[in-house]
Amino acid sequence: MSGSDLASRLDSSVALLRQKVPNGFTPRVGVVLGSGLGAFGDTLEEGKKLPYGEVGFPASSIVGHAGNLCVGYVGSGAARVPVACMQGRVHSYEGHSPDRVVFAVRALARWGCEAFVLTNAAGGVNGALEPGDLMLLSDHLNLMGWNPLTGPNDDALGARFVDLTRAYDPELRQRAHQAAVKEGVVLREGVYCALSGPTYETPAEIRMFRTLGADAVGMSTVPEVLALRHLGKRVVAISCITNKGAGLTQGVLDHAEVQETANRTRDKFVGVLTRLIASL
Ligand code: HPA
């Protein structure tokens, strides 16, 4: 696919979004809700829910990823913030191409979102992180083995070589910390290591990632960050630590535990997201 194909596919997607969400609604903030973290999407004022199929977004096959685009407002009155929120995402391990994995966030950016709040469920690699903790991403290690910007570049969309020195926007991170303080929630900060999955890691891998400087591991988010930084959009990301990494406890890992812990953090997660977005 050439770069200009991408631009025209994004234009078609935005035309469809405008048709499905009429009255000139233009979102300012894009949100992606990870495994088991979809509840925030149901809290929007004047909210409207569109299944991904209706807006041409690829649908996820994974439990805990509802596959709805939720549009509406955070807050009310003059200060309300128009938001487009994805309840669930697709992953490359489901068989989606890199281009499809990031298509929806690119479309939301084209529609009008200038800032993005990305969320995920992650395993704790730093032994100090406990299930139920929230961790703001300060940086990442991309060990997925791929990059969504590989291939022809459309210079009109973004530069060939993208600077990642401050991939996670320092001002938005500050606002996230302020939101957490106001909400009375402890917000940790650390480095997220992105892996292709779908297997969880081995204990030896978890020890290696710790040595490499990772605090948490997961199977998402980084492709979206790369695609959005390419477009010059501002990004902040929060992990819900749903489990300790493999080998850090006596137990074994499963997706039900990931979802259960994510569910358990629902109120504090929704609280921090709401305050953060209201401040953007
Ligand atoms: N590893 C990778 N991805 C994850 C984990 C994990 O332990 N927990 C939730 N997503």
Side-chain angles (χ1 to χ4, degrees):
M1 183 191 59
S2 77
S4 53
D5 281 347
L6 174 59
S8 66
R9 285 188 309 120
L10 291 172
D11 284 340
S12 306
S13 178
V14 170
L16 182 58
L17 287 164
R18 290 207 172 109
Q19 185 193 324
K20 296 281 178 186
V21 188
N23 305 325
F25 178 90
T26 306
R28 211 152 50 72
V29 176
V31 181
V32 181
L33 300 170
S35 273
L37 300 170
F40 172 77
D42 297 323
T43 68
L44 299 179
E45 309 281 340
E46 297 171 45
K48 181 172 168 153
K49 218 184 244 195
L50 300 155
Y52 287 167
E54 271 187 35
V55 292
F57 289 179
S60 175
S61 58
I62 309 301
V63 177
H65 290 256
N68 297 311
L69 181 68
C70 303
V71 294
Y73 297 90
V74 168
S76 52
R80 67 187 188 164
V81 179
V83 173
C85 175
M86 293 170 57
Q87 273 180 330
R89 55 159 65 84
V90 295
H91 310 80
S92 56
Y93 62 71
E94 296 172 72
H96 296 287
S97 65
D99 174 61
R100 276 168 71 82
V101 170
V102 296
F103 183 78
V105 289
R106 279 176 164 154
L108 297 187
R110 194 112 169 145
W111 192 13
C113 295
E114 286 297 330
F116 283 79
V117 182
L118 308 176
T119 72
N120 59 56
V125 174
N126 182 331
L129 291 171
E130 295 293 333
D133 282 352
L134 301 186
M135 185 192 90
L136 190 65
L137 275 64
S138 58
D139 205 344
H140 72 233
L141 298 170
N142 181 8
L143 300 185
M144 291 186 122
W146 60 277
N147 185 311
L149 305 182
T150 300
N153 186 58
D154 182 344
D155 294 340
L157 292 182
R160 169 79 290 187
F161 300 106
V162 177
D163 176 61
L164 295 177
T165 311
R166 294 183 198 86
Y168 299 87
D169 191 274
E171 192 202 333
L172 299 192
R173 279 161 59 193
Q174 194 58 38
R175 287 177 195 235
H177 280 302
Q178 287 162 354
V181 168
K182 281 195 189 141
E183 195 63 20
V185 166
V186 176
L187 182 61
R188 317 292 301 268
E189 191 166 285
V191 173
Y192 175 86
C193 179
L195 302 162
S196 65
T199 48
Y200 292 116
E201 302 69 38
T202 65
E205 286 167 344
I206 291 294
R207 290 194 296 276
M208 174 177 74
F209 299 140
R210 183 72 200 123
T211 305
L212 294 177
D215 294 294
V217 279
M219 305 175 195
S220 69
T221 307
V222 165
E224 294 148 8
V225 172
L226 301 178
L228 291 169
R229 291 306 300 144
H230 179 241
L231 299 174
K233 303 304 172 190
R234 302 172 82 187
V235 174
V236 66
I238 303 176
S239 291
C240 171
I241 305 298
T242 52
N243 55 279
K244 283 181 168 279
L248 298 182
T249 63
Q250 299 301 315
V252 295
L253 305 186
D254 72 76
H255 187 58
E257 178 193 358
V258 166
Q259 282 197 282
E260 247 169 61
T261 314
N263 265 330
R264 193 153 57 70
T265 68
R266 182 174 49 209
D267 290 351
K268 69 177 179 179
F269 205 75
V270 168
V272 171
L273 283 188
T274 303
R275 282 189 193 268
L276 167 60
I277 293 166
S279 77
L280 298 180

